[in-house]
Amino acid sequence: MPSSRSGARASPRSRATPERGESLLDLRERVVEGFDRLLAESGADETVLVVTHGGVLYALVSHLTDTDFVTVVDEGGQGNCAINEFRAVGDGIEVVRTNDTSYRG
């Protein structure tokens, strides 16, 4: 799996910290730690559904595709109610689909 902090691929905007807030890299690290914990606590054949807002999705997609967080936000986009599907495979994660809104017709 990619590292939780992809410093070499992180833009300056990823590192910027707003007053009384956290940087995108800090958000990504926090999300990835929770995701890793969720994986560790889930059974091998268990299906887990996570319903969340866009910021967490951007952080996960950034991490799982080893792409700069800002690039994912600027270029990747997430439609309202988009489905993002990931599958645990061995010691890694397979990206099955991202930003899928085809079910909406």
Side-chain angles (χ1 to χ4, degrees):
M1 249 186 294
S3 65
S4 62
R5 281 193 178 250
S6 187
R9 301 177 61 84
S11 71
R13 286 174 48 198
S14 295
R15 294 184 182 96
T17 303
E19 185 177 334
R20 297 175 42 194
E22 66 183 339
S23 71
L24 294 177
L25 287 179
D26 289 339
L27 168 64
R28 177 176 155 161
E29 183 175 333
R30 185 167 51 88
V31 167
V32 168
E33 286 173 2
F35 184 72
D36 288 346
R37 194 169 43 254
L38 178 65
L39 288 176
E41 294 171 359
S42 301
D45 294 329
E46 189 172 0
T47 298
V48 178
L49 173 67
V50 177
V51 178
T52 187
H53 62 85
V56 171
L57 286 175
Y58 290 128
L60 280 175
V61 170
S62 168
H63 171 66
L64 296 174
T65 62
D66 197 26
T67 306
D68 175 59
F69 197 134
V70 173
T71 301
V72 170
V73 173
D74 287 347
E75 298 175 9
Q78 286 289 316
N80 286 335
C81 302
I83 296 173
N84 294 268
E85 184 178 357
F86 308 101
R87 182 174 296 127
V89 179
D91 289 338
I93 299 292
E94 173 187 6
V95 178
V96 177
R97 58 185 166 157
T98 61
N99 195 32
D100 181 0
T101 58
S102 63
Y103 71 92
R104 298 188 324 200

